[in-house]
Amino acid sequence: MIRTLRAAALAALSVVLVAWPAQAATAPRAAQPATARLSVELCPPQGPVVPGETGVLEVRVTNQGPAATTEPTLVVVHLPPPGVVKSADPPVELTYFGTGSSYSVPAGLALGEASVERLSLYVAPITSPFITISGDVQAFYPGDPDQSGHTTPYSFTTADTRAHFMVGASSAWQAGHPVPQPGDFTGKPGATIDLPLWVYNAGPSYSTHPIDVRITVPEHTTLTGTTPYDCTATGPRTLTCHYGVGPRYQDAMFIDPAVVIDPATTAGQVLPGGTLDVAGQEDCPSPDWHTDFSVTVD
């Protein structure tokens, strides 16, 4: 009986083993990507890029054949941090990583056809001027005989920094920025008060050049106490200040001179004549360079 069962089992197994190769032969296999050789051509920014602004890198990926691509092509753009690929035209989904970003070219790139993207390379405001930034672009397609990636280098230079300065006389801030308008400076007759004056850098770059500031305090007030850092009193109501560099991008530097209000003033009297001016070679002259302010006697 045992021999009969064993024989039956062996017979069934032999049927399965004979049939399996035939079934395996009919199972569908994944198609291999069509052979397509790629080339990468680049057109980097044509002129120096100001730190805090963008330059355009044109990337052209061409299918040199012999067949159309049947799977997506991965394009990897290396850009040294803290720079970043900010956007692409035409729009594509950018995937970011530590030293750059990547995007995909859809399958179906025909023989001789090219995919062209204009990438906006953002140069961080902290970047130094007059340096060379270098990177490369690689293209990977599964059906390309060269699986090392087609690597093409690029480089461009940075321009001089550019910083737009705004001045104000106020302790007021709004949404993380100082409010560029006269503040509410008040004090009693004979009192000593501080005047929170500031210079704000609206960018796009960090300031890397010297700036000069001129201050006149209001009528019926007199400078007193320690002269602010890097400032020189040129009269009872005037200061000149010289700084090696201005404030960083989206940051402010504060100058807080102290003044004594004339004891002969009366409550409710407004003391005009305060002025604040800034000058720097990174910025073009503008109304933002000047503000008037006053002190109200309370």
Side-chain angles (χ1 to χ4, degrees), residues 106-267:
L109 195 65
L111 169 63
E113 186 180 3
S115 167
V116 180
E117 290 291 342
R118 291 172 55 82
L119 306 178
S120 294
L121 305 186
Y122 178 66
V123 179
I126 196 173
T127 308
S128 299
F130 312 122
I131 64 170
T132 298
I133 295 178
S134 300
D136 60 58
V137 177
Q138 296 175 287
F140 299 90
Y141 170 65
D144 194 323
D146 181 2
Q147 285 297 296
S148 65
H150 296 269
T151 303
T152 302
Y154 69 89
S155 65
F156 61 93
T157 59
T158 58
D160 199 358
T161 53
R162 189 164 65 223
H164 178 62
F165 300 119
M166 304 168 65
V167 297
S170 172
S171 57
W173 282 66
Q174 184 177 16
H177 300 154
V179 179
Q181 61 186 18
D184 53 345
F185 300 157
T186 62
K188 297 185 180 302
T192 297
I193 63 170
D194 291 325
L195 304 178
L197 311 177
W198 48 260
V199 179
Y200 178 74
N201 178 7
S205 309
Y206 276 39
S207 173
T208 62
H209 293 283
I211 67 168
D212 293 292
V213 179
R214 298 186 304 276
I215 298 168
T216 300
V217 299
E219 298 172 7
H220 303 293
T221 68
T222 306
L223 291 164
T224 188
T226 303
T227 302
Y229 182 71
D230 280 344
C231 294
T232 301
T234 54
R237 293 178 49 217
T238 56
L239 288 170
T240 59
C241 310
H242 179 80
Y243 302 97
V245 294
R248 298 178 298 175
Y249 169 56
Q250 291 188 340
D251 201 358
M253 59 189 302
F254 290 87
I255 310 166
D256 297 293
V259 295
V260 176
I261 300 175
D262 188 342
T265 57
T266 58

Side-chain angles (χ1 to χ4, degrees), residues 17-87:
L17 292 175
V18 170
W20 178 78
Q23 293 174 353
T26 59
R29 295 182 179 180
Q32 294 297 314
T35 300
R37 303 173 189 272
L38 304 180
S39 65
V40 179
E41 298 174 281
L42 305 178
C43 181
Q46 295 302 293
V49 180
V50 174
E53 297 186 347
T54 60
V56 174
L57 172 67
E58 185 175 281
V59 179
R60 178 181 293 269
V61 178
T62 304
N63 179 5
Q64 304 295 347
T69 61
T70 56
E71 291 191 18
T73 298
L74 176 66
V75 181
V76 179
V77 183
H78 292 105
L79 175 64
V84 67
V85 180
K86 201 166 188 178
S87 63

